[in-house]
Amino acid sequence: MGQILAIDYGKARCGIAVTDDMQIIASSLDTVETKSLLVFLNKYFSENKVDGVVIGLPVDLKGNISEVETDILKFIEEFTKEFSDIPVHRFDERFTSKMASFFISQSGKSKKKRQEKGLIDRVSATIILQNFLEQRTR
């Protein structure tokens, strides 16, 4: 069994999280500039067995899709051309950035560290992935 990788996709950068090989626990991995995401994934997939990718679905409180979805769909199209053997799953990412900010603020990190956007992106990806894992086991 391989890992599942999650992407909190953003216009400037993406948070990345992965599971363990048993697909039980989600862990923060990295923050990658969006323009370098496919290069990063190519290297990561060559070094690790990945069974699937979860990409956040940006929905607002009213259920409307965010404008970044257009970019995400373009990315998914490129991804599936390059990695046709890795399935892509979508998962509602509502509230993940707010939850990430809250968890980081409770962690005792310094104010400067808490405001680091890359950290929020990584934690958001981890929340998306952990929620995906929990829903899958229900």
Side-chain angles (χ1 to χ4, degrees):
M1 188 180 290
Q3 301 171 345
I4 299 173
L5 181 139
I7 301 170
D8 180 31
Y9 191 95
K11 288 183 181 272
R13 73 196 158 273
C14 299
I16 311 290
V18 293
T19 65
D20 57 299
D21 289 337
M22 299 285 292
Q23 299 180 3
I24 297 170
I25 297 172
S27 300
S28 169
L29 178 66
D30 207 344
T31 304
V32 179
E33 287 186 22
T34 301
K35 64 184 179 188
S36 305
L37 183 56
L38 283 174
V39 172
F40 173 86
L41 293 174
N42 219 328
K43 183 176 186 319
Y44 191 82
F45 294 162
S46 72
E47 298 168 355
N48 299 276
K49 183 173 179 351
V50 176
D51 289 343
V53 171
V54 178
I55 301 175
L57 180 64
V59 182
D60 68 16
L61 292 175
K62 295 179 181 176
N64 299 317
I65 302 292
S66 170
E67 66 182 51
V68 75
E69 177 67 4
T70 305
D71 296 330
I72 294 171
L73 291 173
K74 287 179 190 170
F75 168 75
I76 290 172
E77 189 176 321
E78 292 175 32
F79 180 92
T80 54
K81 283 180 187 170
E82 184 130 356
F83 308 107
S84 59
D85 57 330
I86 300 176
V88 174
H89 309 277
R90 302 299 304 277
F91 196 82
D92 188 342
E93 66 176 48
R94 225 176 310 204
F95 306 117
T96 55
S97 292
K98 290 194 186 308
M99 289 170 60
S101 294
F102 173 76
F103 292 141
I104 292 166
S105 73
Q106 299 299 302
S107 71
K109 299 222 182 276
S110 69
K111 183 175 181 178
K112 184 176 182 180
K113 188 71 174 170
R114 288 192 314 256
Q115 292 174 336
E116 179 191 318
K117 291 180 181 175
L119 177 60
I120 293 171
D121 295 334
R122 288 190 303 275
V123 173
S124 293
T126 307
I127 293 168
I128 291 167
L129 185 52
Q130 191 64 48
N131 289 341
F132 172 81
L133 292 173
E134 289 170 8
Q135 184 183 57
R136 192 178 68 163
T137 58
R138 287 185 200 147

